[in-house]
Structures are given as C-alpha cells and as structure tokens.
Amino acid sequence: MTEKMTIGERIAFYRRRRGQSQLVLAGLVGRTEDWLSRVENNRIELDRLSVIRRIAEALDVTIGDLVGEPTLLDWTSDSGVRTVPALRAVLMDYSQLTPLLAVATPDGEPPSLDAVERDVSQVFDAYQSSRYGYVAGRAPLVLSDALHAVSTIDASDSNRAHALLALAYQSAVSVLTKLGETDLAWIASERGLAAAQQADNAVVLGSLFRSVAHALHSTGRFAASVQLTEAAASVLEPHLSSRADDALLSVYGTLFLNGAVAAARADDRGSVTSFLREAHDSASQLGRDANAMWTAFGPTNVAIHRMTTAMELGDVQVAVDLAPRIETTGLPTERRVRHAIETARAYTARNRRDDALAVLLDAEQLAPEQIRHHAISRQLVLNWIRTARGPRSIALEQLAQRLHLT
C-alpha cells in the first residue's frame, strides 16, 4: 500500500493510523509541528536514519515501515520464482532447533565440502556483483546443502563444514538485509554465529560477528551494534599480530567500518572517530585495497565510510567535498554503487539534483538490481518526482518507471 509513498508520506499515513496529531508526534521526537508538517509534505528531505528511528519508535512501527522495506524482488532468469520465501522455509525449519527434533537427512549423497565451498563462493561473488536475484535464488539451496553436509560429515571435517555453514548463513544475511527482510536476517545471523563458534576459525568468527552487527543495525538497534563491535573486536584482538594475514585484517577492519556507521546513526561521534581510526590502521597495515572474505576492505573503503558517516552525522558539506575524491573503480560493483547512492544523497542535500540524478543513472548502468531495491535510491527518486519544479525530466520519469515507483 505504501510502496509508492515517500518517507514523509508514510509518516503521515502511520501518524493518522495511530490517531496522533502533528503536534503530539513532533513533541515525542523533540521537533516542532512546523518541521513535521514540512516533512510530511515533502518540503524537507528526511534521510538521517537516527531521526527516522526516533519517529518509528514514537509511532510503534519499524524503520522498514517508514523507508519502504521490504521490497518485492523481481523475478529474473537468475532468481527463478522461489526467492525470499524459499530462504524463509530453510530458516524456519524446526528440525534445526535441537537434535531432539531432528528428522532423517535428505535422500541421496550429501554434497562434498568442495562443492559447498564452490557454491558459497559463487553466491558471495554474485552478491558483490549486485546480482540479488541470483543470490536470493541460490542461497536457499546452498544453505540446505551446507546443513546436509554438517549433519553427515566425519568428525575430522567438522570444523570446515561448520565454517562453510556459517558463511552460507552469512550470504543469506547479506541479501536479506538488502531487501529489508530484517527479522529473517537476524535469524540467519544468529545461526551463522552459532556455526562459526564450532568452526574454530577466527576469520570466519569475525566475519559472522560482522553479520550479527549488520543485522542489529538493519533493525535500528544502532547502539547495540556499536556495543557488539567493541565486544567482537576484543574477541578478535588476541588473534592479531604484526603478521596477521589479509583475511583476518580485512574482517577486523570491516567490523569497525560497520560499527562506525552504526555509531553515526546513534549520534555517537566519539565512537565514529575511534572506529574509523581502527579501520584506517588495519587498512594501512594491509597496504592496499583487497577483497579477502569478500570484504572489499582497504584504504578506499575506509574513505567511503568517512563520507557515509559524515552524511549520517549531518555533516553534509564534508560528505559533498569527500565524494568526488574517492576513486572506486577497483572495488566490487556493490561497493561502487553503494558509494554512488551516498554521493547522490549528498548532492541532493545540497540541491544539486541534476548531479545526483546523473550519478544514480550511471550507477544503474552498473547494477540495476541494486538501484531498484535499495531504500535510499528509491526514496531519492520518489522525492525528486514529488518535488519536481520547472521543465520535465524525461530521464527522471523513466528511472521512476524502471523502479516501479510510478
């Protein structure tokens, strides 16, 4: 019902459903009635998640309700016709809860661990290429195979099997958070972390810490995500040394990047500064942009997060100044397009809509699925359409149609 509404229009919709006046809701979030009126009438761009979270709490709805998530994943040749519901079926299989409820393993030979490892890698590679349909279509099958492998594997291969199961869960978390399926993402992250703890592998454990933090973050629990970042870092630190390998450095550094964004959305400037410093130190030790454990970690990703956190803290001009200085060509598609979305958001906040639209159109050429399904890109286009002035923009109207917003 609310898919084609802006955030402001959704706030008005849910406020009326709750029987609240603008004066009451504005007071609950520490703003004026005039400010809320301008938000609901699309005269103010409401793009800081810290503010959206406070409004969501006052209305007793989720952040996803206000930003328009989850989104319907289009069927493609990559995805087939079984996507998120198939993932839900695997995650809600009661037999996983306890050995007491275990059922007979599936018929046929269990997949080899080499085959599971190959399939997990292919899903992560597809995610970094922004092929969300492929990930959503394949992840349920890969997760089922990983579960089957763990249930039948010899004890000697137990660590490897549990590591692969943890990563299969992480691949599910990645796409579910992108699509706004936050409750399912939390289930997957929790089970993935449980598997990682049985793998005896610090890199995999760190990677799943990142998934849990991301799942917390996606539900608006920003302060909890900050706390988890600190706790997870303390667990990983004993495994670090002056000769830590690329994978461990990358996982450790990326954990702080995620934590920095959560801290910014919690209005915790101190933690933002501290986390970015830790990430910078890890990137300096790594010495280059890399992609160990599909992290895309390195100096460039740290720079991207400096810009993202500036936007989240309301330091718009800092973000606008940083954006064009960051060269992302060497990064995976998902990271390049995510930076483009943030750049478009920053330009919009400075009333440079033509520049923002140009950036978004270029990004769409790289990753149409990512632009179609990301909440920020969808909200940008909706607001541009609603508040358009002057001559018609055919390019904007066509983009809105491709995003199914008109």
Side-chain angles (χ1 to χ4, degrees), residues 282-295:
S282 294
S284 297
Q285 191 173 344
L286 187 63
R288 67 192 189 286
D289 290 329
N291 194 30
M293 292 299 290
W294 305 279
T295 57

Side-chain angles (χ1 to χ4, degrees), residues 67-90:
V67 300
E69 294 180 325
T71 60
L72 181 65
L73 184 67
D74 293 335
W75 287 340
T76 66
S77 57
D78 269 348
S79 71
V81 296
R82 290 284 292 158
T83 55
V84 173
L87 262 175
R88 180 178 288 108
V90 177

Side-chain angles (χ1 to χ4, degrees), residues 357-372:
L357 176 59
V359 168
L360 215 56
L361 288 172
D362 286 344
E364 188 194 20
Q365 294 297 310
L366 285 174
E369 287 185 69
Q370 188 169 353
I371 297 300
R372 163 74 177 89

Side-chain angles (χ1 to χ4, degrees), residues 47-286:
D47 55 9
R48 290 187 63 192
L49 274 180
S50 58
V51 179
I52 296 170
R53 176 180 57 82
R54 290 198 294 272
I55 295 173
E57 288 175 351
L59 292 170
D60 193 28
V61 297
T62 68
I63 288 178
D65 290 327
L66 296 186
V67 300
E69 294 180 325
T71 60
L72 181 65
L73 184 67
D74 293 335
W75 287 340
T76 66
S77 57
D78 269 348
S79 71
V81 296
R82 290 284 292 158
T83 55
V84 173
L87 262 175
R88 180 178 288 108
V90 177
L91 293 171
M92 299 187 74
D93 178 2
Y94 70 86
S95 65
Q96 297 179 46
L97 298 177
T98 170
L100 296 174
L101 301 174
V103 296
T105 56
D107 294 334
E109 289 294 318
S112 70
L113 293 186
D114 287 343
V116 174
E117 183 172 2
R118 181 197 64 229
D119 291 344
V120 167
S121 295
Q122 288 176 348
V123 169
F124 273 111
D125 289 344
Y127 174 78
Q128 288 199 314
S129 298
S130 299
R131 294 170 58 198
Y132 296 159
Y134 179 91
V135 177
R138 285 289 299 164
L141 305 176
V142 175
L143 185 52
S144 292
D145 283 349
L147 286 163
H148 189 190
V150 163
S151 69
T152 56
I153 205 69
D154 291 334
S156 60
D157 286 326
S158 177
N159 287 352
R160 184 186 178 198
H162 280 96
L164 291 172
L165 176 59
L167 293 174
Y169 276 119
Q170 184 176 3
S171 72
V173 175
S174 298
V175 72
L176 288 169
T177 52
K178 285 295 185 187
L179 298 176
E181 297 283 355
T182 55
D183 292 341
L184 289 178
W186 173 254
I187 294 172
S189 68
E190 184 181 36
R191 293 188 182 164
L193 183 58
Q197 291 177 75
Q198 298 183 63
D200 193 26
N201 184 319
V203 171
V204 172
L205 183 63
S207 197
L208 269 296
F209 280 145
R210 183 163 55 101
S211 276
V212 175
H214 195 47
L216 281 172
H217 193 162
S218 67
T219 62
R221 300 184 63 194
F222 307 135
S225 187
V226 170
Q227 293 166 1
L228 187 145
T229 298
E230 294 168 341
S234 68
V235 172
L236 295 179
E237 280 167 5
H239 299 279
L240 294 167
S241 68
S242 59
R243 296 184 179 180
D245 64 20
D246 288 0
L248 187 55
L249 270 176
S250 297
V251 166
Y252 184 74
T254 304
L255 179 68
F256 284 111
L257 293 183
N258 290 344
V261 177
R265 290 173 175 170
D267 289 321
D268 181 355
R269 286 181 178 269
S271 292
V272 171
T273 301
S274 173
F275 289 170
L276 287 177
R277 185 187 305 117
E278 292 283 356
H280 171 78
D281 290 347
S282 294
S284 297
Q285 191 173 344
L286 187 63

Side-chain angles (χ1 to χ4, degrees), residues 287-311:
R288 67 192 189 286
D289 290 329
N291 194 30
M293 292 299 290
W294 305 279
T295 57
F297 184 71
T300 302
N301 211 351
V302 174
I304 287 173
H305 282 74
R306 288 191 187 281
M307 180 207 160
T308 299
T309 53
M311 275 299 296

